[in-house]
Amino acid sequence: MILGRVVNAATDVVNDVVSKTKKPDKTIRGTVFLVKKNVLDFTAIHTTVADSVYELLGQGVTLQLVSAEYADHANGNGGKVSKQGALEHWNLTFTPPLAGGDSLYKASFEWDQELGTPGAIIVRNNHAAEFFLKTTITLDDVPGAGRIHFLCNSWVYPDSQYKKPRVFFSNKTYLPHETPAPLRKYRKEELEALRGDGNGELKFGDRSSELARPIFGGSSEHPYPRRGRTSRPPSSSDPNTESRNFLSVNPFNIYVPRDEQFGHLKTSDFVAYNLKGFVNQILPLFEAFVDLTPNEFESFKEVDNLYYNGIPLPTDVLNQVTSQIIPLPMMGEVFRTDGQQLLKFSVPQVIEADKTRPPTAWRTDEEFAREMIAGTNPMVIRLLKEFPPPSKLDPEVYGRQDSCITKEHIEYNLEGLSVRKALKSNRLFILDHHDTVMPYLRRINGTTGAKTYTCRTILFLGGDGALKPVAIELSLPSTEGGSSGVISKVYTPVEHGVEDSIWQFAKAFVAVNDSGHHQLISHWLNTHAVLEPFIIATNRQLSVVHPIYKLLHPHYRDTMTINAMAREALINAGGVIEKTFYPSKYSIEMSSYAYKSWNFLDQALLTDLKKRGIAVDDGNSPHGLRFLIPDYPYAVDGLNIWFAIKDWVRSYCQFYYKTDAMVQEDPELQAWWKELREVGHGDLKDEPWWPKMHTREELIESCTIIIWIASALHAVVNFGQYAYGGYSPNRPTLSRRYMPAKGTPEYVELERNPEKAFFRTMATQLQSLTALSVVEILSKHASDEVCIWDNVTLSGPQMEYPWQLLKLLIRDLVKLKEKY
């Protein structure tokens, strides 16, 4: 192989000598920043030696400029191409392994007037290993153009792995018809290469019968957003299902497009790697710890010790920890290294300010209600418009499912109002998980270790502007089965005695429902899964120089990798979510059921708030909306961010699209929308709510929604998880026993020791440790995370009008940030 490259190199040298018939008009100097593979992967140090050998043989990294002004008929009317330049002094530019630094290289290009202004650059990697081409390639003092930047941020593999060499375009933005004619060939070829041909196998494995799950996506029974192609072969047991991967030390034993991976930083910096390490290494240690201790918490004080004092680790478990190499920053916070042998977690925000021990503020009705509007799942509560609350479930399938809450249950707690007047004055609200959970509840309670209910919670907006719960309804399917309806019981607030404990249990069952809904629907489905088709279609159908690509692409950062990791280590069959959240093996099936009613336009915050009855039109209020719950942080703060994003998107889109006709006549934009609707979200392609993408307004609204989902909405449901769910009694993820009933041993236990009864009813010690560890990992920010107000998010070196618009967005968002 090396000998062949030597021959090729010699041939290239001869051709270069023959072609030098005249001197160039000018030599252009350029700079290139890249990261060698060995910097990011300590197992790839050998590639440095191989690359050095190729350099000595004349097989380096070469670059060629492509003209944006003059076409070459011999090149299919593509832009004229300069002679090859090379990265200089590769072997003299040293970056220590794992130093995390960039390498700066210089390159020289021969330029003459026949080339004109370069609009693209061709990069060939003739080495043995790939490298990450960072940010930009910069040319200085280009005649007639000055400094030119070529946007990269991409992995470049050895040239032999490509059908056509890699091409990077200058930092310009073009609609398809505005692309300079000499660059159109390269724009078209780049998109074709990105789409691929759909062939090739990447990974192997098989699935076992106990881990079999329905096929999600492609049917009306189990619709689902499409994911990236994995090319895994069919399983041996069922040719209609994909083979299954098994967890390994390698974090990428599943296929993710290289530029969508985390590979631009050291692997230890990433949340997903911490998650993988937890599943592979720490979870077995928790299991060993529980095997050597009682499998239950006995009191809130014991839980308190997890955060303030630590729990002593048995020597055998500690030896397992110290004998393993666990390069995870999170583990340094969980496992003490001061010789005290303690298992200790950081203090969650929900109990941090509470000075009582054990903490009690989290148990109040006020905090219970507050988390519905300012916690991790604040987008479910809605205005109650009909009493008693009705169900939308088909009565022919499920029987009568309407609520049995009566006015007698709540009127005494409505500050003198009747139910009718409270409804009329918009002061009753509901957190309703009934219809989402009921279709699966019989199977959950009958075939898993969970024992739980569907929940409806009625809340009243008091004269002081604060919400308080006034009734909780817990329901089970009728014991008669079929369409025989439900068995329900209503609980109301009590402050003393055993009935107070019953009320606390009722709130805990609500939290179990809400935790599952949050993780599987609000978080996984509504931000991660639904976004992936947009990421795929954007990369496949929009050129990197397309304005909508540049607008959206920064917000997709790392999402496909996180999704792939989640499918392997979190939501997989038999994985962490199934073991620690009440839906168990029905988890993804429940999210599929929720996806049936997903509506893209409803993801717009403004639309969502109106649909839930939380906001009403009011010309005298900010943004023309009045909130029925004045102190609703998610709505108030979120709407400020929503409109800041939308104002920016509107100005940006109107700059490039002067008319609706330009939207309709943009072939890349129309292909993008067609693919994500008919393929990416193909199971819902016939829904009437899809925008037609015929007007600028449809484009503006759609792009705003996409950015909202990827940024602000995801931040709401993700980064606050540990703040509230890190204290397991506050957000239990499953329940193992039903509500204690009078005359049962469980009720006697409740009377004698309510704390012990609580922990016997909710998750086990192992399940609690697992759940709080996972939410701590998920809540962490990546070390290189870019905030939406940071000017790196959407910026480029060019100083044109869209960049000026971006600075206005940054200014608005920074003001909002400083406000809080």
Side-chain angles (χ1 to χ4, degrees), residues 447-461:
T447 63
T448 74
K451 294 292 183 286
T452 194
Y453 301 88
T454 67
C455 303
R456 291 186 177 105
T457 304
I458 304 295
L459 302 106
F460 175 69
L461 183 65

Side-chain angles (χ1 to χ4, degrees), residues 462-771:
D464 59 357
L467 284 172
K468 63 178 181 180
V470 293
I472 293 174
E473 179 182 45
L474 303 182
S475 302
L476 290 170
S478 170
T479 56
E480 298 178 10
S483 59
S484 53
V486 295
I487 300 172
S488 300
K489 187 169 182 179
V490 178
Y491 300 88
T492 55
V494 180
E495 295 183 356
H496 304 287
V498 68
E499 292 302 318
D500 173 56
S501 297
I502 291 290
W503 174 243
Q504 296 298 330
F505 271 52
K507 291 192 292 184
F509 281 114
V510 173
V512 168
N513 266 205
D514 199 59
S515 294
H517 186 281
H518 160 260
Q519 201 64 265
L520 297 168
I521 299 173
S522 299
H523 186 197
W524 166 251
L525 176 68
N526 288 347
T527 64
H528 285 270
V530 301
L531 192 65
E532 190 158 345
F534 289 91
I535 299 172
I536 296 169
T538 299
N539 281 282
R540 283 170 45 83
Q541 300 297 343
L542 298 180
S543 168
V544 294
V545 297
H546 195 287
I548 302 304
Y549 177 94
K550 291 191 174 186
L551 176 67
L552 299 178
H553 187 263
H555 300 283
Y556 298 153
R557 192 169 187 260
D558 298 332
T559 300
M560 284 191 69
T561 298
I562 293 172
N563 288 2
M565 290 287 190
R567 293 186 182 102
E568 183 174 291
L570 265 186
I571 63 168
N572 56 308
V576 172
I577 295 298
E578 288 196 356
K579 290 178 178 178
T580 55
F581 285 79
Y582 79 91
S584 187
K585 64 182 179 181
Y586 302 104
S587 294
I588 298 304
E589 191 171 342
M590 279 184 63
S591 69
S592 171
Y593 180 78
Y595 180 60
K596 292 179 180 180
S597 59
W598 182 80
N599 182 323
F600 174 68
L601 293 179
D602 285 351
Q603 308 314 300
L605 179 61
L606 185 62
T607 304
D608 169 60
L609 294 175
K610 288 184 176 182
K611 186 173 182 178
R612 290 190 286 121
I614 298 298
V616 295
D617 293 323
D618 184 349
N620 296 321
S621 299
H623 307 301
L625 286 179
R626 178 170 57 87
F627 298 109
L628 299 185
I629 304 174
D631 183 18
Y632 189 171
Y634 170 68
V636 176
D637 301 343
L639 210 58
N640 288 329
I641 296 173
W642 167 267
F643 277 107
I645 294 172
K646 189 165 186 178
D647 288 346
W648 142 251
V649 172
R650 180 180 300 281
S651 299
Y652 183 93
C653 291
Q654 288 179 345
F655 175 77
Y656 290 104
Y657 294 91
K658 306 301 183 185
T659 66
D660 291 344
M662 292 182 69
V663 173
Q664 299 167 24
E665 295 168 3
D666 182 340
E668 289 185 11
L669 186 73
Q670 294 302 321
W672 168 69
W673 195 249
K674 178 180 175 65
E675 176 171 309
L676 68 88
R677 172 180 173 174
E678 297 185 5
V679 181
H681 285 284
D683 294 341
L684 303 180
K685 65 181 179 181
D686 296 323
E687 294 295 331
W689 42 256
W690 280 108
K692 303 297 183 185
M693 203 52 67
H694 288 169
T695 67
R696 292 193 299 173
E697 198 58 42
E698 288 179 321
L699 176 61
I700 291 165
E701 184 75 0
S702 297
C703 289
T704 305
I705 292 172
I706 295 168
I707 293 173
W708 168 259
I709 292 172
S711 58
L713 181 61
H714 178 261
V716 169
V717 297
N718 184 72
F719 293 116
Q721 291 187 80
Y722 190 74
Y724 297 100
Y727 187 66
S728 58
N730 184 57
R731 298 279 293 178
T733 57
L734 62 80
S735 49
R736 296 173 289 149
R737 300 195 312 198
Y738 294 123
M739 180 72 80
K742 288 184 177 181
T744 65
E746 290 78 13
Y747 194 86
V748 173
E749 181 183 53
L750 178 66
E751 290 179 308
R752 292 176 178 175
N753 191 337
E755 291 188 15
K756 182 177 181 180
F758 180 90
F759 290 110
R760 292 295 186 273
T761 301
M762 299 301 155
T764 66
Q765 188 181 64
L766 175 61
Q767 290 165 334
S768 298
L769 290 172
T770 301

